[in-house]
Amino acid sequence: MTLAFPIAAASATIDRTPGVGPTSGLGLLGTADDGTMLPEINEDGRYVVFHSAADNLVADDTNETSDIFLHDTVDGTTTRISLGLDRAEADGASEFARISADGTLVAYQSLATNLVPDDSNFLRDIFVQDVGTGSTARASVGP
């Protein structure tokens, strides 16, 4: 299923197959090994979204820049939201995440150019991801 955003947007879908993306706990090795900043909690308190340059929150985080993470306080998993096409690591910093009241959408700012097809402006853009489907759209694009 691909999410259709009600705006003109480039979009991509990321596989969120259980066991592929999320990892248990806040960090693979315990406490995050770099700063975690600007947390926001959804309305019922289940989900916390934040950005961090830590490389031990999920497996295979080697892009050496800040990423967007979603922590599920009920099942204890932390998922990296700011993944590019074909689950590639974002090629630029991602920051300033916001989460919808029901926890289904995460919006964030990123310098990455590989989150959706044809992002070639080399500027900070705003992206919105449907957490359930993994579909990501660039919101800061004109008609």
Side-chain angles (χ1 to χ4, degrees):
M1 179 172 108
T2 302
L3 177 68
F5 289 90
I7 54 175
S11 64
T13 300
I14 296 172
D15 181 10
R16 291 283 183 215
T17 305
V20 173
T23 59
S24 295
L26 284 175
L28 292 174
L29 303 174
T31 304
D33 63 4
D34 204 336
T36 55
M37 295 162 268
L38 300 173
E40 183 169 289
I41 302 170
N42 80 311
E43 190 172 275
D44 68 7
R46 178 172 182 170
Y47 299 107
V48 180
V49 67
F50 58 94
H51 73 262
S52 178
D55 63 8
N56 69 331
L57 296 176
V58 295
D60 302 318
D61 187 350
T62 60
N63 64 351
E64 299 182 357
T65 191
S66 61
D67 294 300
I68 303 300
F69 296 93
L70 178 72
H71 181 72
D72 184 329
T73 63
V74 172
D75 67 20
T77 59
T78 299
T79 303
R80 183 166 35 169
I81 296 294
S82 54
L83 289 173
L85 301 169
D86 298 323
R87 299 193 49 80
E89 293 190 285
D91 62 7
S94 298
E95 302 171 314
F96 308 112
R98 303 292 307 256
I99 191 166
S100 62
D102 64 3
T104 61
L105 298 174
V106 173
Y108 60 96
Q109 172 186 287
S110 183
L111 278 168
T113 61
N114 67 334
L115 300 176
V116 296
D118 303 318
D119 184 359
S120 58
N121 64 3
F122 301 103
L123 299 172
R124 287 180 173 87
D125 288 308
I126 303 300
F127 296 90
V128 179
Q129 185 175 114
D130 180 304
V131 174
T133 66
S135 178
T136 300
R138 183 170 49 149
S140 57
V141 63

